[in-house]
Amino acid sequence: MEEAKGVVKHVLLVKFKEGISENQIEELTKSYAKLVDLVEPMKSFHWGKDVSIENLHQGFTHIFESTFESMEGVAEYVAHPAHVEYANLFLSHVEKVIVFDYKPTTVRV
Amino acid sequence: MEEAKGVVKHVLLVKFKEGISENQIEELTKSYAKLVDLVEPMKSFHWGKDVSIENLHQGFTHIFESTFESMEGVAEYVAHPAHVEYANLFLSHVEKVIVFDYKPTTVRV
């Protein structure tokens, strides 16, 4: 098994609160993406809506994934004022959230 | 916002049952990876353990992510006998699971 050197994926699964508009979600998503420019160790960002067919998504509707070069980078991000300010705004709109960090490993079989 | 053409990410967040050994998890992971060779539309696979520091992982300990060229590919995978057999084995070891599919979108800011 090969672990990508140092790279850490930071994944959020989110269910937004009732009543939030698509526009508000788009604004929150753009502000999330802007953190890539504001927080040096944050290297990339993408997101998506659930399109699953197995009905095992447990009510979560959105995913946000960012990439860091190391766990130290994630720690710097978590403590960064731009992230703290954004996280407070973001979480005020969220009914439930899971935050999961991992170092991706590819299995050669 | 740019949506990657057709590509679908298939993400599982998992908490295994108490009592499962690291060896059993490794065997399950290897068998999961072998599905890439058995199910044509499944293009790649990686996994990882939670290393998050924010304590918002809600008890989930493992993530498995595979990539498909389309939602039709995911549907073919879900119905494929090799996947059905594997899923029955895998789910028998799982205390809770979320399955989330999405088309990754990158935001240019």
Side-chain angles (χ1 to χ4, degrees), chain B:
Chain B
M1 302 201 195
E2 291 178 19
E3 191 174 276
K5 199 111 189 138
V7 169
V8 179
K9 303 267 188 189
H10 181 73
V11 178
L12 270 72
L13 284 185
V14 172
K15 182 184 182 184
F16 288 105
K17 286 181 181 167
E18 291 283 328
I20 192 169
S21 68
E22 285 300 314
N23 271 353
Q24 283 178 295
I25 292 174
E26 191 173 329
E27 286 307 311
L28 285 172
T29 304
K30 285 181 182 171
S31 298
Y32 200 149
K34 279 182 192 151
L35 294 175
V36 177
D37 295 330
L38 299 173
V39 184
E40 195 278 327
M42 183 180 180
K43 296 307 178 192
S44 65
F45 169 78
H46 67 244
W47 71 284
K49 288 187 197 181
D50 178 57
V51 292
S52 66
I53 54 176
E54 293 174 279
N55 200 27
L56 293 168
H57 59 292
Q58 316 292 7
F60 291 98
T61 55
H62 290 71
I63 191 166
F64 302 90
E65 184 180 287
S66 47
T67 305
F68 295 83
E69 282 178 353
S70 65
M71 272 311 293
E72 291 71 27
V74 177
E76 189 181 329
Y77 166 79
V78 167
H80 193 288
H83 169 261
V84 171
E85 184 183 348
Y86 178 72
N88 285 335
L89 172 68
F90 185 83
L91 292 175
S92 73
H93 291 289
V94 154
E95 183 180 318
K96 59 179 182 172
V97 63
I98 295 171
V99 184
F100 193 100
D101 294 352
Y102 72 106
K103 299 182 181 185
T105 299
T106 301
V107 186
R108 311 272 162 149
V109 289

